Amino acid sequence: MQEKQFPQKLSQEEATEVFMKHIDFVRAVAFKNAPARHLQEDITHDAYIHFIEHRTEWEYDPVRIKGLLKVITENMAHQQWRAWTRNLPENLARVACCLQRNPEKVFPEVSNNEEKLTALRLCMQKLSPEDRELVESFYFAKESGTDLAQRLHKTLAAVYKKLSRLRTRLLNCVMKALGIDANPSGKDLADE
């Protein structure tokens, strides 16, 4: 069966058809990036609305549509993440930002925020000075990824990849420090 050919600019009906063709992909991206599992459908819906509202701003390319939908969905998830963290106390919001963008992993079992922060500080001290400086610059000093990449003479992708690895390592380390069952891989800062 031959794929339906769309004009370069999509009507609302055509855009809906394109989006629905890739709905499972969008849901998977939303699930992966959602700050909480129950927000997956909200993110998918927001991605659909954004795609429909801005359909005239880009030309339809069947080869690149998944990349576009991925970026839109990730941006909607990040907006949900920002809204979610605005409702947390400031210190817990910092912990959540540093510990991967998965708030359900921000240790609901531990009610004492000071205990969480102490564990995070301990784990931050286990990082190399370069890694600690990278985390502090990005999350606490709010230096942009682009500025960090230029300053460190790295690509933006390399900086984000390093930050992602550091978030995972910090998450595992803090979970271990709090006595919560850590990642089955067991890799944390103490293992390195």
Side-chain angles (χ1 to χ4, degrees), residues 80-92:
Q80 287 282 348
W81 173 253
R82 285 190 293 277
W84 189 86
T85 56
R86 262 185 246 122
N87 297 328
L88 295 174
E90 182 182 342
N91 288 336
L92 185 55

Side-chain angles (χ1 to χ4, degrees), residues 150-161:
Q150 288 175 346
R151 184 166 56 83
L152 299 172
H153 306 290
K154 296 182 185 261
T155 65
L156 183 59
V159 168
Y160 283 135
K161 191 172 191 177

Side-chain angles (χ1 to χ4, degrees), residues 168-176 182-183 185 187-188:
T168 301
R169 287 171 56 199
L170 283 168
L171 173 67
N172 291 338
C173 178
V174 171
M175 288 179 74
K176 189 174 183 179
N183 191 343
S185 72
K187 185 173 183 179
D188 70 273

